[in-house]
């Protein structure tokens, strides 16, 4: 007996709103990741330093004026870096390129060849533009 063929849309599990929010966050991060990487490298240590300083202030009674001053300076720098990231996102075409994907994977410690990256994109690139747009990413997630 032949297996029953089910159209893909019936076979896919629906995406929850929490999954969709996270998928949107990841897609936004990966779009133009290559351009945002330098700013992100500057942002993360500052965020870590703020966390460290705030916990130090919580441990001390009354706080330290020097720590408060450094926190204020770091808050301004973080806001400026977030504005830079937002400007890059505003200029984005909303697509993940091979360069963006390779850079993100390299950040995670995974080095891939150009052919491996092209194959990853080809697997989900429905319109064959050599990029992954939002609809393609969402479809890939739903399929998997």
């Amino acid at each position: 007996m032949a297996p029953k063929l089910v159209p893909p849309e019936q076979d896919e599990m629906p995406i929850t709103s929490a999954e969709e929010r996270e998928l949107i966050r990841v897609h936004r991060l990966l779009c133009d990741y290559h351009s945002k990487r330098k700013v992100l490298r500057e942002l993360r240590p500052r965020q870590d330093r703020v966390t460290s300083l705030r916990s130090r202030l919580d441990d001390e009674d009354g706080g330290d004026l020097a720590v408060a001053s450094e926190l204020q300076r770091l808050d301004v720098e973080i806001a400026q870096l977030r504005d830079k990231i937002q400007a890059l996102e505003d200029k984005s075409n909303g697509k993940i390129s091979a360069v963006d994907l390779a850079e993100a994977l390299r950040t995670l410690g995974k080095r891939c060849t150009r052919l491996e990256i092209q194959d990853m994109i080809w697997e989900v690139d429905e319109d064959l533009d050599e990029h992954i747009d939002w609809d393609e990413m969402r479809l890939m997630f739903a399929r998997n």
Side-chain angles (χ1 to χ4, degrees), residues 25-138:
R25 184 186 64 78
V26 170
H27 183 263
R28 283 186 60 203
L29 176 66
L30 292 176
C31 289
D32 296 310
Y33 184 82
H34 181 71
S35 301
K36 292 187 267 189
R37 179 182 58 97
K38 181 180 178 189
V39 181
L40 289 169
R41 278 189 187 166
E42 293 178 41
L43 179 61
R44 288 189 180 119
R46 286 171 173 80
Q47 290 172 323
D48 293 343
R49 179 72 177 146
V50 165
T51 302
S52 169
L53 290 172
R54 293 217 166 137
S55 68
R56 205 167 99 192
L57 273 179
D58 291 341
D59 293 342
E60 298 174 4
D61 291 331
D64 181 1
L65 189 57
V67 171
S69 174
E70 185 177 357
L71 272 173
Q72 187 176 19
R73 180 186 55 80
L74 286 169
D75 285 341
V76 169
E77 290 175 8
I78 288 170
Q80 290 170 341
L81 291 169
R82 285 186 176 153
D83 288 346
K84 284 183 184 180
I85 291 171
Q86 186 61 53
L88 289 168
E89 288 178 352
D90 290 345
K91 289 192 293 185
S92 174
N93 63 1
K95 296 182 178 188
I96 303 166
S97 70
V99 173
D100 297 327
L101 182 57
E103 191 69 41
L105 289 169
R106 210 176 357 251
T107 299
L108 295 171
K110 174 71 174 154
R111 292 207 175 266
C112 297
T113 66
R114 180 178 294 173
L115 184 58
E116 289 171 322
I117 297 294
Q118 288 171 341
D119 283 346
M120 287 178 207
I121 290 178
W122 180 82
E123 286 288 333
V124 297
D125 186 16
E126 295 290 322
D127 61 8
L128 301 176
D129 67 350
E130 298 180 356
H131 291 79
I132 301 169
D133 63 27
W134 166 246
D135 292 332
E136 292 164 339
M137 184 142 174
R138 191 176 192 290

